[in-house]
Amino acid sequence: MRGKYIMDTKTIAAIVIAFIVGLGIGVVIGPALAPKPQPKPKMHLLFSLDWAIYGRHAPYFVALEKGFFDEEGLTVEIVRGYGSADTIQKVATGVVDVGFGDISALIIAKAKDPKFNAKMVAMIYARAPFAVFALKKSGIKEPKDLEGKTLSAAGPGDINYVLFPYFAKVTGIDPNTIKWKFVKPAVKVQLLVNEEVDAITEFAMQKPVVEKAAADKGGAVMILWADYGVNIYSNGIVFREDFIKKHPEVVRGFVRAVVKGFLYTFEHPDEAVDILLKRFPTLDREVARAEIDILKKLVLVPEAQEHGIGYFDSERVQATIDAITEVFNLPRKVSPDEIYTDEFLPGKISLEYLEPLKAENIVALVATNEEY
């Protein structure tokens, strides 16, 4: 009996050892044989700019190059635009996923159609970039000098043309005395230089292009609307409302990546130009670099410096709605919550590899009325 008992004990021990060894092998081998979790597929976004691609658009391509979109799980395809009204319409109808357009165009569209499927999620051009350029030799120096003149715009969708009645009202111009000539954007500056028109509408960022073209004609003058009482908001990031509800984290990530793109561009403008020209080598380097300096003044206004890029001041939003509603005699006045949401703004953020933005320099930059 005693020998049998010993055998039984050895047998039991062998079984236990085999079990433990088998268990160990399973622990080691099991995970190796188990299927690895697949990375979550990235969300693809088609992003339309407001116009043809210039130096002012460098931050978006910086966000691509530096992987800021990738960090948010996004693959972003950027395409040129054909005016804010067109871009916003494409967002609302789903032709593109996200757009960069003017808030006034959105207000007009929403007032006419309450179901217009678009909302702004970040304000980028906090200082309005609308401007008129003329040759110095023309004698045009201020808004009143535009009366009786011929101006050129890039068609009825050109936001400068769309909003000109508001500029006229604020500055006391009689818009009925002005003649308009619609031409392709690429030839506007040439028309001005050839003196075939008296002035052209453009964004302030076009100043380096106009000045370079007009150098042999004695130079150009810029009338910046913001210097004459036009304090409305301008371009920002727009998504479809149903997209916002369905993919809030995508919207939040996109805005965060864009803000990083702007911060990096403003801290490394020369590198930003390199990144842009790598994709668009036909752009003029000197002009693109000068545009970034102008862009910085439009984006990093005191409220953006205090609260972060993208910030909406509710009173300015309401003032913009009031002005556009009155000037265009819109069928109804939209409410601010129909136009924008600040739910997805990242606030003040910094990049670990950037030197902190020096607040005193930013304030000094944007607090002056010096000509760009």
Side-chain angles (χ1 to χ4, degrees):
M1 292 294 292
R2 188 170 180 274
K4 184 178 180 182
Y5 177 78
I6 293 173
M7 285 182 62
D8 288 346
T9 302
K10 289 180 179 179
T11 301
I12 292 171
I15 292 172
V16 171
I17 292 171
F19 175 78
I20 293 173
V21 170
L23 180 62
I25 294 173
V27 169
V28 174
I29 297 178
L33 296 178
K36 294 182 179 179
Q38 295 298 312
K40 186 178 179 181
K42 295 186 184 302
M43 170 75 81
H44 177 270
L45 296 178
L46 183 59
F47 174 37
S48 174
L49 299 174
D50 54 332
W51 203 248
I53 296 166
Y54 295 109
R56 72 199 71 167
H57 299 118
Y60 304 110
F61 295 97
V62 167
L64 275 179
E65 180 80 12
K66 291 297 178 180
F68 300 152
F69 288 125
D70 187 67
E71 290 171 2
E72 303 294 344
L74 304 174
T75 59
V76 178
E77 180 183 354
I78 304 175
V79 296
R80 64 153 295 174
Y82 294 87
S84 285
D86 182 73
T87 294
I88 290 173
Q89 182 67 33
K90 286 176 177 175
V91 172
T93 55
V95 175
V96 299
D97 301 300
V98 53
F100 179 61
D102 192 88
I103 194 171
S104 297
L106 180 57
I107 291 169
I108 293 170
K110 278 277 192 179
K112 294 179 179 178
D113 178 9
K115 295 182 179 180
F116 191 79
N117 190 11
K119 183 171 283 189
M120 190 165 284
V121 297
M123 175 51 61
I124 302 300
Y125 293 167
R127 190 175 192 220
F130 315 120
V132 174
F133 290 91
L135 296 179
K136 287 183 178 179
K137 62 186 295 186
S138 70
I140 296 174
K141 297 180 180 179
E142 57 184 33
K144 200 70 174 174
D145 297 331
L146 295 171
E147 289 187 337
K149 301 295 193 295
T150 299
L151 274 64
S152 179
D158 185 333
I159 195 64
N160 292 275
Y161 171 76
V162 172
L163 294 180
F164 196 87
Y166 175 60
F167 175 57
K169 179 174 181 178
V170 171
T171 57
I173 299 172
D174 181 357
N176 296 319
T177 67
I178 295 174
K179 297 179 181 178
W180 288 93
K181 186 173 184 177
F182 294 146
V183 297
K184 292 182 178 180
V187 302
K188 276 201 297 183
V189 175
Q190 197 58 48
L191 285 181
L192 177 65
V193 172
N194 292 343
E195 301 180 54
E196 295 179 49
V197 295
D198 300 300
I200 61 174
T201 60
E202 280 288 1
F203 273 5
M205 291 82 87
Q206 199 73 350
K207 186 173 186 282
V209 173
V210 178
E211 285 186 331
K212 190 171 184 177
D216 293 338
K217 290 294 185 79
V221 62
M222 181 179 77
I223 299 174
L224 184 68
W225 298 12
D227 289 340
Y228 292 89
V230 175
N231 192 34
I232 59 177
Y233 274 137
S234 183
N235 285 41
I237 304 299
V238 180
F239 276 92
R240 292 193 310 279
E241 292 186 82
D242 55 3
F243 187 99
I244 292 172
K245 292 177 182 178
K246 188 175 181 180
H247 304 289
E249 289 309 312
V250 171
V251 176
R252 183 171 286 106
F254 182 87
V255 172
R256 185 163 45 231
V258 165
V259 170
K260 287 182 178 180
F262 273 90
L263 289 173
Y264 194 95
T265 296
F266 294 151
E267 287 295 316
H268 305 276
D270 294 326
E271 183 185 350
V273 173
D274 290 340
I275 290 171
L276 185 66
L277 265 61
K278 185 165 67 173
R279 295 173 182 268
F280 306 98
T282 60
L283 292 176
D284 185 303
R285 175 179 292 274
E286 183 181 347
V287 168
R289 177 64 181 82
E291 279 201 25
I292 290 176
D293 289 338
I294 296 172
L295 179 70
K296 189 172 183 178
K297 296 180 181 182
L298 300 175
V299 175
L300 285 179
V301 299
E303 62 191 58
Q305 182 261 324
E306 180 180 356
H307 301 285
I309 294 173
Y311 176 77
F312 294 92
D313 179 278
S314 59
E315 292 184 359
R316 284 191 67 194
V317 173
Q318 186 62 63
T320 302
I321 292 173
D322 293 344
I324 300 305
T325 302
E326 180 181 354
V327 171
F328 291 93
N329 193 27
L330 297 178
R332 71 185 187 94
K333 181 179 287 189
V334 299
S335 62
D337 61 356
E338 291 181 81
I339 299 300
Y340 85 102
T341 175
D342 57 9
E343 177 184 352
F344 304 100
L345 297 178
K348 292 181 69 173
I349 65 174
S350 62
L351 305 175
E352 63 275 10
Y353 39 80
L354 292 183
E355 294 180 5
L357 291 172
K358 297 179 180 178
E360 66 271 21
N361 291 343
I362 295 173
V363 172
L365 177 70
V366 301
T368 65
N369 286 322
E370 64 179 313
E371 185 177 84
Y372 291 130

